[in-house]
Amino acid sequence: MVLQAFGFGHPEGIETLLRVLQVQRARFPAEVYNDETLPLPQDDEDLSELALGLNYAERQIRTRPRVEAERFESWIDNASQLQEHLRGGTLEIDPLHVEELPEREDLTETYGIGRGEAACLVLAQRHSAPAVFVSADQEACEVADEIGIPRTTIRDLLERWVDIFSPPVEDFDAMIEGLRRARFDPGKDFVAPLRETLN
């Protein structure tokens, strides 16, 4: 989930994401994030995917040794940017319409993808806009290809960031490390040659 990767991974991750996508505003369905704030209920059943990540981070902070807990504290600290972007209008929660819910369920049942991924695909169809998927979401990318929805991966976004903006090496390293700490590792074999282009 791109929003979680950039939202948890780096304090300016969402701003970078919007710049790379070259958009002023990004929409996402409530299944991905529904403006939930901490503290969250312990019952995970009705939480969005991003809120589940926040709940997980809170549990890890309470149960892990201090050094390990710092990783999850950074998720929560970085996630504060989501509220700022929602208030500023650069992120918009765009819930599915009631008549679109059966299509979401059909995608989850037919292809075995998650509710958030399916909701993103339905939303992309409605707006005729590219859906953005994390490269690890191989099944969702395949579904997008099959039903004719353009898609972009985190690796694609990182390549675009380097090609278009040529960030300083230290900014690139901080972003990659943040993505790794947020459990979205683009892989050393991919990162090393991309980093070389910045030297």
Side-chain angles (χ1 to χ4, degrees):
M1 190 171 64
V2 170
L3 192 67
Q4 184 169 326
F6 284 87
F8 286 9
H10 192 277
E12 296 176 8
I14 300 299
E15 180 64 33
T16 301
L17 176 63
L18 294 169
R19 285 179 62 220
V20 172
L21 289 171
Q22 297 181 314
V23 297
Q24 294 181 347
R25 180 180 64 191
R27 293 183 175 101
F28 52 89
E31 288 85 349
V32 170
Y33 182 54
N34 199 21
D35 201 13
E36 299 106 325
T37 55
L38 297 171
L40 294 162
Q42 291 306 305
D43 179 10
D44 288 350
E45 190 174 322
D46 295 322
L47 294 178
S48 67
E49 290 181 352
L50 201 140
L52 289 172
L54 290 172
N55 239 5
Y56 174 78
E58 275 209 315
R59 284 195 301 271
Q60 300 312 302
I61 291 167
R62 286 194 308 269
T63 59
R64 289 188 181 234
R66 181 77 193 122
V67 174
E68 293 178 26
E70 287 176 1
R71 168 187 190 170
F72 301 100
E73 287 173 350
S74 73
W75 289 16
I76 291 173
D77 291 344
N78 292 338
S80 66
Q81 68 188 296
L82 294 164
Q83 291 297 315
E84 295 167 19
H85 283 279
L86 284 169
R87 284 193 302 271
T90 51
L91 288 180
E92 178 186 337
I93 300 168
D94 194 354
L96 296 186
H97 300 155
V98 172
E99 62 272 18
E100 293 173 319
L101 296 178
E103 189 175 355
R104 181 198 68 193
E105 294 308 308
D106 184 52
L107 287 170
T108 60
E109 291 171 15
T110 303
Y111 297 103
I113 60 176
R115 288 177 65 230
E117 295 156 335
C120 285
L121 290 169
V122 173
L123 194 61
Q125 287 178 313
R126 185 205 308 161
H127 290 289
S128 301
V132 180
F133 292 107
V134 178
S135 57
D137 294 336
Q138 186 60 39
E139 297 86 357
C141 287
E142 289 171 5
V143 175
D145 292 341
E146 186 171 326
I147 62 179
I149 294 178
R151 46 116 175 150
T152 304
T153 66
I154 282 186
R155 284 184 168 193
D156 296 331
L157 294 170
L158 291 171
E159 285 177 338
R160 250 186 260 168
W161 184 41
V162 167
D163 289 345
I164 297 170
F165 298 101
S166 298
V169 172
E170 55 270 18
D171 291 355
F172 178 82
D173 289 346
M175 181 66 74
I176 297 301
E177 180 58 25
L179 290 172
R180 286 177 175 147
R181 288 172 60 90
R183 296 188 172 171
F184 293 90
D185 188 348
K188 290 180 181 177
D189 291 344
F190 170 79
V191 168
L194 196 58
R195 187 181 190 277
E196 279 296 312
T197 68
L198 295 172
N199 289 328

